[in-house]
Amino acid sequence: MRIDIKSYINDKDLSIYVIAKKSGYGYTTLHKSFNKTQTSATSINLRDIEALAKAQDVEMWRVLKELETKYLD
């Protein structure tokens, strides 16, 4: 399962900088994570979902549900 995180971020008018600032996670950490090629061995992790949720002031399960229903490659 591959998630198109870049499309999600673009559709939500977010930037990695804003996500890092609002979530408290480092820009470099998120940049590496969001820009890596996902394989079955390297899927999106909970930190990334938490960062996206904090940046939008929503629950993690809502972000995960939207990623699974609209952003799977």
Side-chain angles (χ1 to χ4, degrees):
M1 171 170 76
R2 296 170 198 249
I3 295 173
D4 187 356
I5 215 69
K6 290 179 184 178
S7 291
Y8 178 87
I9 291 170
N10 287 335
D11 290 349
K12 299 293 182 179
D13 292 323
L14 295 170
S15 69
I16 298 173
Y17 174 76
V18 169
I19 296 166
K21 185 176 179 182
K22 289 185 175 183
S23 69
Y25 288 109
Y27 172 86
T28 303
T29 300
L30 293 176
H31 187 271
K32 286 180 183 176
S33 183
F34 291 162
N35 286 292
K36 74 180 178 212
T37 302
Q38 286 184 8
T39 67
S40 59
T42 59
S43 59
I44 188 168
N45 61 43
L46 288 176
R47 177 205 55 227
D48 299 336
I49 296 170
E50 181 182 33
L52 292 168
K54 284 183 175 182
Q56 300 173 84
D57 295 319
V58 298
E59 297 91 349
M60 287 176 59
W61 70 267
R62 290 185 189 274
V63 172
L64 183 58
K65 181 178 178 183
E66 189 166 10
L67 290 172
E68 288 179 337
T69 58
K70 297 181 183 176
Y71 294 93
L72 288 181
D73 282 342

